[in-house]
Amino acid sequence: DEITILEYNGSGGDVVIPSTIDGYPVVAIGASAFFDCDTLVGVVMPESVTMVGGEAFCDCTSLESVDMPGVTVINSYAFGDCYS
């Protein structure tokens, strides 16, 4: 009854996570979902997303901004090696 983003296959840049997919709320970004996406610049998450998994954005070396108003849990190394 809920969606977790497990993998990102887009071209990077600025990404907006939808609040629902096929009518189900998006509640989490899974472990390593955006791992090594070096073209990712920004991420906006809806308030429905409350958890960011371990290494979710690890090695996203171009990531400059993240808006995550509903997140209450950030697992280990979620933003590891994000230097921008």
Side-chain angles (χ1 to χ4, degrees):
D1 295 341
E2 301 173 333
I3 300 285
T4 295
I5 302 293
L6 298 177
E7 184 176 5
Y8 175 72
N9 294 318
S11 60
D14 290 314
V15 172
V16 176
I17 307 295
S19 59
T20 62
I21 296 176
D22 294 332
Y24 296 104
V26 177
V27 298
I29 307 297
S32 302
F34 289 81
F35 185 86
D36 198 28
C37 183
D38 59 1
T39 58
L40 185 66
V41 175
V43 177
V44 175
M45 299 178 205
E47 286 192 38
S48 61
V49 172
T50 59
M51 192 275 295
V52 176
E55 298 186 347
F57 295 94
C58 185
D59 289 333
C60 293
T61 55
S62 298
L63 184 61
E64 296 177 355
S65 67
V66 179
D67 183 9
M68 46 186 189
V71 172
T72 57
V73 175
I74 300 174
N75 287 305
S76 63
Y77 218 56
F79 294 95
D81 297 327
C82 293
Y83 301 116
S84 295

